[in-house]
Amino acid sequence: MLSHPHHEEFVPKFCKQYARVGVDINNGLAQFKKEVEDGAFPGDQYSPYVMTKKEKIMFEDLLKVDAEKRRSKHEEAASKLKQSDEYEQLNLYGDKNGSR
């Protein structure tokens, strides 16, 4: 719902309601969501662009670089969290083999 329920129930006497666009917006968004989730949208009709082989290779290379950067940042953050965790420092969780 894009509008407050109060606005749907009460319209002051001095206001004129020209349209109920909130209902149409909600219906449109629900249909869009369903089509995306079902894989019906976007289809070929709405995605006419096809990458060249060169563009595809460049794009895949960028994805690999991005994945490596994200993995590295994740490992760095996990290490910092582990170092700052007093339970880890005192070995209260046990070691990696599950023993204490």
Side-chain angles (χ1 to χ4, degrees):
M1 177 175 291
L2 295 177
S3 62
H4 192 280
H6 170 76
H7 297 155
E8 298 292 326
E9 296 172 12
F10 175 76
V11 178
K13 292 179 183 179
F14 58 85
C15 292
K16 182 175 180 180
Q17 188 172 10
Y18 289 95
R20 295 175 50 92
V21 294
V23 172
D24 290 336
I25 291 170
N26 281 333
N27 291 341
L29 289 172
Q31 181 179 351
F32 170 76
K33 179 182 176 191
K34 183 179 182 333
E35 288 181 14
V36 169
E37 290 175 343
D38 293 346
F41 183 81
D44 291 339
Q45 178 183 1
Y46 297 101
S47 302
Y49 182 77
V50 178
M51 286 192 275
T52 64
K53 287 182 181 181
K54 182 180 177 182
E55 289 172 322
K56 189 172 183 179
I57 290 169
M58 289 172 58
F59 180 67
E60 288 171 350
D61 289 343
L62 288 171
L63 288 177
K64 288 177 189 173
V65 169
D66 183 59
E68 179 59 30
K69 285 181 183 177
R70 284 185 283 119
R71 185 194 61 75
S72 176
K73 285 184 179 182
H74 171 75
E75 287 177 357
E76 182 181 326
S79 176
K80 285 181 182 177
L81 286 172
K82 190 172 183 178
Q83 290 172 6
S84 67
D85 186 347
E86 62 189 47
Y87 286 96
E88 285 287 347
Q89 297 302 316
L90 297 172
N91 199 26
L92 296 178
Y93 295 135
D95 61 19
K96 292 184 181 191
N97 298 326
S99 62
R100 290 189 176 190

